[in-house]
Amino acid sequence: MPAEQPAAARRPRRETVTGVPRSARRPPRPLGHAPARSEISEQTSLGHTYVRSLMRSQLRAALTALATLALAVGTLPLLFALPEALDSTAPSPFVWAALGVGVHPVMWLTARWYVRRAERNERDFIGLLEDR
């Protein structure tokens, strides 16, 4: 009788079991066939609603930026009248300081906010079209 083999030699060889790759489980949709994109290209009422939603969000951002700038620039006459009411000296340095330090940064920040908001609205809309 042959000698007994050690326990390690009697174990079956290990095999690696893998599943189907995730990309093969569900085929990706071909570009251009997303439901929202076809709704827009066919000019259905749902597609019209999608486009109107984008336009509404862009208009909301524009009106918010406009209101912010109107408040910043509209209050300047009151701000310029303040030094004259307090003192009779010429408010020339105060006016330039208010314009240079107060208004321009507000305008720049508002414009930056508006551009970022508009880009985000468009990115969200494209994500809707591509069904992401």
Side-chain angles (χ1 to χ4, degrees):
M1 228 157 111
E4 282 189 36
Q5 296 178 344
R10 282 185 276 157
R11 273 195 236 157
R13 185 170 172 223
R14 298 179 91 188
E15 293 183 24
T16 305
V17 179
T18 59
V20 178
R22 290 183 184 207
S23 61
R25 289 182 191 166
R26 180 178 46 146
R29 291 184 185 174
L31 291 177
H33 294 288
R37 184 175 290 185
S38 64
E39 294 288 338
I40 292 172
S41 66
E42 293 172 5
Q43 297 181 353
T44 63
S45 62
L46 182 60
H48 182 66
T49 303
Y50 285 145
V51 172
R52 199 173 44 190
S53 170
L54 173 66
M55 292 172 60
R56 223 181 5 252
S57 63
Q58 296 288 53
L59 179 64
R60 190 179 313 120
L63 291 177
T64 303
L66 180 66
T68 302
L69 289 176
L71 283 174
V73 176
T75 57
L76 284 178
L78 296 174
L79 190 64
F80 294 156
L82 184 66
E84 291 179 6
L86 297 177
D87 194 358
S88 63
T89 61
S92 179
F94 175 73
V95 170
W96 286 108
L99 284 174
V101 177
V103 174
H104 287 116
V106 171
M107 288 173 54
W108 184 81
L109 287 172
T110 303
R112 183 171 181 239
W113 172 84
Y114 174 73
V115 168
R116 292 180 66 157
R117 179 67 184 214
E119 288 173 349
R120 188 178 77 189
N121 288 340
E122 291 171 1
R123 192 171 44 246
D124 291 346
F125 184 73
I126 290 170
L128 175 71
L129 292 182
E130 294 176 353
D131 198 28
R132 282 190 260 165

